[in-house]
Amino acid sequence: MRHVRLLIVLGLAGLLLGACSGGQGALQPPEIYYGQDTCARCGMLISHPRFAAALLTVEGESRKYDDIGCLLDDYIHSGLKAAGIYVHDYNTGAWLDAKAAFFVQSDIHTPMASGLVAFGARAAAEAFAPGAAVMSFEQVVAMQAERPAHSHEH
């Protein structure tokens, strides 16, 4: 009988600990304090949620960007190992996993003039810039890698 009670107590303790952890291991985009946080790549203030992006490194570092172009330059040229990469949906402002997003480059004015915006749905990307190429994360990385890194001198 003592063994049964011990098993019940241990089982309940395990359930309680599991419930308290509440998915703390799940990756989440960082909170960005607009008008206060600066871009990890160019140092400018991050002011526009529609264009902001973030990268979480495997070491746990949170890197925030004012423009998707800055995120891509950092990802391509810095050798960072990413655990999570996030962009905002241009229409809704919601965080998206960049690897599942759809990207369009257009003549829209973005903070560092990349012209890159992201969407959660292909149809939204197509509607935003009719005739423009809708790209996956892999395609936008390949496109950006062919260009020289932005010189972020002001």
Side-chain angles (χ1 to χ4, degrees):
M1 190 67 168
R2 286 181 88 170
H3 293 288
V4 172
R5 275 193 226 152
L6 181 60
L7 287 174
I8 290 172
V9 169
L10 289 175
L12 289 173
L15 285 173
L16 183 60
L17 286 173
C20 289
S21 69
Q24 288 177 342
L27 289 176
Q28 298 280 333
E31 176 128 12
I32 294 178
Y33 298 96
Y34 297 99
Q36 297 175 29
D37 285 341
T38 58
C39 178
R41 182 75 180 173
C42 71
M44 287 182 55
L45 279 179
I46 303 172
S47 302
H48 305 285
R50 287 179 154 181
F51 308 117
L55 182 145
L56 303 177
T57 68
V58 295
E59 293 84 17
E61 180 186 2
S62 219
R63 297 178 63 85
K64 304 169 189 177
Y65 305 93
D66 65 336
D67 190 300
I68 293 171
C70 285
L71 161 76
L72 293 172
D73 281 347
D74 214 22
Y75 178 70
I76 294 164
H77 300 290
S78 70
L80 292 170
K81 302 288 186 237
I85 303 172
Y86 303 95
V87 293
H88 279 103
D89 183 295
Y90 181 80
N91 287 336
T92 69
W95 278 114
L96 303 170
D97 177 342
K99 293 186 177 183
F102 299 92
F103 297 86
V104 175
Q105 186 171 40
S106 70
D107 59 359
I108 189 169
H109 178 73
T110 63
M112 291 304 293
S114 73
L116 289 166
V117 291
F119 298 89
R122 176 178 281 281
E126 291 169 346
F128 176 79
V134 175
M135 297 173 278
S136 67
F137 181 73
E138 293 78 15
Q139 290 169 318
V140 80
V141 167
M143 178 195 74
Q144 192 78 6
E146 292 177 3
R147 301 175 176 186
H150 285 99
S151 141
H152 293 293
E153 296 174 17
H154 301 286

